[in-house]
Amino acid sequence: MITLLAIDWAVVGIKAGQLILCLSILVILHEMGHFLPAKWFKCRVEKFYLFFDPWFSIVKKKIGDTVYGIGWLPLGGYVKISGMIDESMDKETMKLPPQPWEFRSKKPWQRLIIMIGGVTVNLILGFFLFAMILWVWGEEYLPAKNAVYGVYVDSLGKSIGLKDGDKILAVNGKELVNFGQLSTDIILNEAKTIGVERNGQSLDIPVPEGTISKLLKRKGDPLAYPRFPAVVDSINTKVAKFTSGALQKGDQIIALNGQPITSFYEFSDVKKNYKNKEIALTILRNTSDTAEVKVKLAEDASVGFYPRTPDKFLKFEVKKYTFFESLPAGVVKGWETLVMNVQNFKLLFTSKEVKASESLGSFLTIGNMFDAKWDWERFWRMTALLSIVLAFMNILPIPALDGGHVLFTLYEMITGRKPSDKFMEYAQMAGMILLLGVMAYALGLDFWRYLFKH
């Protein structure tokens, strides 16, 4: 069934703006990583472009030997170095004798430094951004042991045997330290068991085959949520339609139409069944008194109050860093992110449950990962993450990527034999076809998911 969703263009604009700014930063610095060593080794750089410019450019200006410009296709960027087989496929120049200022005239170790420059810059940028994030905002997380009310699970959690109120202890026998890492640990470790405490007893819940695939389809939605009581913080008088009594600040909802309510998440799910209907809420007031309030729900099932947030009930930990402490911590955070990406990539080839059709996404998927409001902390976290991802993807030994050029250069340095220009042309063409095919496939998957709500 095809379902067309309403589009909030304001949200689209904010996310698109963040994505374009993020890509601009990453692309400019990545290409600068090629540009600077090329200049140091006296190569002629013909073009330096943010985004691609097939047929025309948005803006361009020639300074010295180099044309600097902005293309109209925001899928990356490039520097065109004289005498290098790249996206331009400039075959005519390659037929001429090598010139001293050309890339192909430089020593293999010099060409290697030029080619790994972009990846090096992206790694350093990722490490630096993570360090600055830790310095400015610190690191907030919920220790699993502090989820004292246990977890709330939806249909997927229940299908594998978890129950509301379970306290998550371990994944695959290893203690779960950060509650927010639960789903990630299950996916990356291809977990077979989840250790829980239930009614005072420790149990190992087996993870059924197919769970990892289902988790990946959730696009970041967790397997379980830390429970906390449904307590009123303030009333939204524009929405609330009380027909008998009224909610007050500090009221705890303990039942809805006689059905016991143990957490805010449970309350949120149960009330969805009563849109535009009157419901009776049993509340605990002043810690000991009970009362009943009747209210008519809105079309979206809103009651008309703002709840107290999880941090009012659960002890989150925030680790603060000095500037000098943040630098090594940023490297550790960046390295962990790189290792996670390598593990994710490995799962595409080794796991029965991880499928490219469910894991791949285009710039539409990436853009949707940004916040619907402009949040600088979230923006820089995404930029740091994507910088590490870009470094990893670019170093893959695929022709047309930096890693392909590095592979051929290392082959030349080890064997003393340089691949022919004709071979390099064919390899570059094959790599470009492969990459364009993957990009088209990923874009198609995103449209398919949108149309069919996958």
Side-chain angles (χ1 to χ4, degrees):
M1 177 181 177
I2 297 178
T3 305
L4 295 178
L5 305 177
I7 297 176
D8 186 332
W9 289 108
V11 171
V12 171
I14 292 172
K15 290 188 174 186
Q18 292 179 86
L19 176 62
I20 291 173
L21 177 59
C22 173
L23 288 178
S24 299
I25 294 169
L26 295 180
V27 169
I28 289 173
L29 293 178
H30 176 93
E31 299 306 333
M32 193 67 74
H34 297 305
F35 177 84
L36 291 179
K39 285 290 190 180
W40 289 333
F41 296 129
K42 311 232 182 272
C43 289
R44 180 179 294 170
V45 180
E46 300 174 19
K47 285 186 174 184
F48 187 125
Y49 259 75
L50 169 64
F51 306 146
F52 295 116
D53 60 324
W55 304 297
F56 68 92
S57 306
I58 294 176
V59 63
K60 63 180 179 179
K61 180 177 179 62
K62 188 171 184 178
I63 303 175
D65 294 325
T66 307
V67 175
Y68 298 88
I70 300 176
W72 61 270
L73 189 60
L75 298 179
Y78 69 97
V79 289
K80 177 168 173 45
I81 303 172
S82 296
M84 177 181 174
I85 298 176
D86 55 15
E87 302 86 8
S88 66
M89 298 302 291
D90 188 359
K91 299 179 182 179
E92 295 305 315
T93 299
M94 301 306 292
K95 292 177 182 179
L96 301 174
Q99 300 299 317
W101 62 79
E102 290 186 335
F103 177 82
R104 54 181 169 160
S105 298
K106 303 305 174 181
K107 295 177 181 179
W109 67 268
Q110 293 175 321
R111 285 185 270 123
L112 181 63
I113 290 175
I114 293 171
M115 291 318 305
I116 64 174
V119 169
T120 303
V121 167
N122 282 131
L123 283 176
I124 293 173
L125 176 63
F127 295 160
F128 175 75
L129 288 179
F130 276 126
M132 294 301 97
I133 290 165
L134 293 175
W135 179 44
V136 175
W137 289 286
E139 187 173 25
E140 183 180 41
Y141 71 99
L142 176 66
K145 64 182 180 181
N146 289 358
V148 292
Y149 297 96
V151 299
Y152 175 73
V153 291
D154 57 15
S155 57
L156 176 57
K158 291 175 181 176
S159 71
I160 69 175
L162 293 174
K163 292 185 176 181
D164 291 344
D166 284 349
K167 295 180 180 178
I168 309 294
L169 305 176
V171 175
N172 254 11
K174 183 179 179 180
E175 181 186 4
L176 178 66
V177 177
N178 182 347
F179 186 90
Q181 288 291 111
L182 174 61
S183 296
T184 301
D185 285 356
I186 292 172
I187 294 170
L188 294 183
N189 298 313
E190 297 188 84
K192 303 300 180 185
T193 61
I194 300 174
V196 305
E197 179 186 317
R198 180 181 297 166
N199 300 324
Q201 294 185 329
S202 295
L203 302 172
D204 279 334
I205 307 297
V207 178
E209 187 173 337
T211 300
I212 292 175
S213 176
K214 292 174 182 176
L215 273 175
L216 288 170
K217 289 180 180 178
R218 292 164 76 95
K219 302 298 180 187
D221 287 340
L223 177 66
Y225 301 83
R227 290 204 307 179
F228 61 95
V231 176
V232 177
D233 186 67
S234 60
I235 307 299
N236 184 347
T237 55
K238 294 181 180 180
V239 177
K241 295 180 179 179
F242 299 112
T243 56
S244 176
L247 290 174
Q248 300 177 14
K249 182 174 183 176
D251 285 349
Q252 179 180 341
I253 299 171
I254 58 176
L256 188 159
N257 284 353
Q259 180 177 341
I261 297 295
T262 57
S263 71
F264 175 74
Y265 291 117
E266 183 178 18
F267 172 69
S268 295
D269 271 357
V270 172
K271 69 185 179 68
K272 291 177 184 176
N273 301 318
Y274 299 95
K275 296 177 181 179
N276 289 320
K277 294 181 180 179
E278 184 183 77
I279 60 171
L281 299 175
T282 305
I283 60 172
L284 184 64
R285 181 172 290 167
N286 300 324
T287 70
S288 58
D289 300 329
T290 58
E292 184 175 271
V293 172
K294 292 184 178 181
V295 59
K296 184 177 180 182
L297 300 188
E299 188 174 347
D300 62 355
S302 296
V303 175
F305 74 90
Y306 300 105
R308 287 185 180 170
T309 51
D311 58 298
K312 303 296 183 183
F313 306 98
L314 306 173
K315 187 178 179 182
F316 286 75
E317 291 190 4
V318 180
K319 186 173 181 180
K320 292 290 186 179
Y321 296 82
T322 66
F323 177 79
F324 291 106
E325 287 174 338
S326 72
L327 297 177
V331 173
V332 171
K333 185 76 171 176
W335 183 257
E336 289 174 348
T337 303
L338 178 61
V339 170
M340 183 180 69
N341 276 280
V342 173
Q343 289 176 317
N344 274 329
F345 188 74
K346 176 186 173 186
L347 289 175
L348 286 173
F349 302 96
T350 61
S351 175
K352 295 179 181 178
E353 298 189 37
V354 180
K355 301 175 182 177
S357 61
E358 297 169 354
S359 304
L360 283 179
S362 69
F363 285 100
L364 297 179
T365 293
I366 297 172
N368 207 39
M369 293 167 66
F370 286 91
D371 202 82
K373 296 182 289 185
W374 200 290
D375 182 328
W376 281 112
E377 181 182 1
R378 174 73 173 170
F379 171 81
W380 289 119
R381 285 187 184 278
M382 282 297 302
T383 304
L385 169 64
L386 292 175
S387 191
I388 299 293
V389 171
L390 184 60
F392 170 65
M393 297 305 294
N394 261 285
I395 205 61
L396 291 175
I398 299 173
L401 292 178
D402 295 343
H405 292 283
V406 169
L407 179 66
F408 295 137
T409 304
L410 288 174
Y411 170 81
E412 178 185 349
M413 294 174 70
I414 294 170
T415 65
R417 295 192 299 271
K418 184 178 181 180
S420 69
D421 289 344
K422 184 60 67 176
F423 171 81
M424 294 293 290
E425 287 176 13
Y426 287 134
Q428 180 76 13
M429 189 177 299
M432 288 178 63
I433 292 172
L434 173 63
L435 291 178
L436 289 172
V438 171
M439 291 172 66
Y441 179 56
L443 184 61
L445 286 174
D446 274 343
F447 279 113
W448 180 270
R449 291 171 190 138
Y450 171 76
L451 292 174
F452 294 93
K453 293 185 70 174
H454 275 11

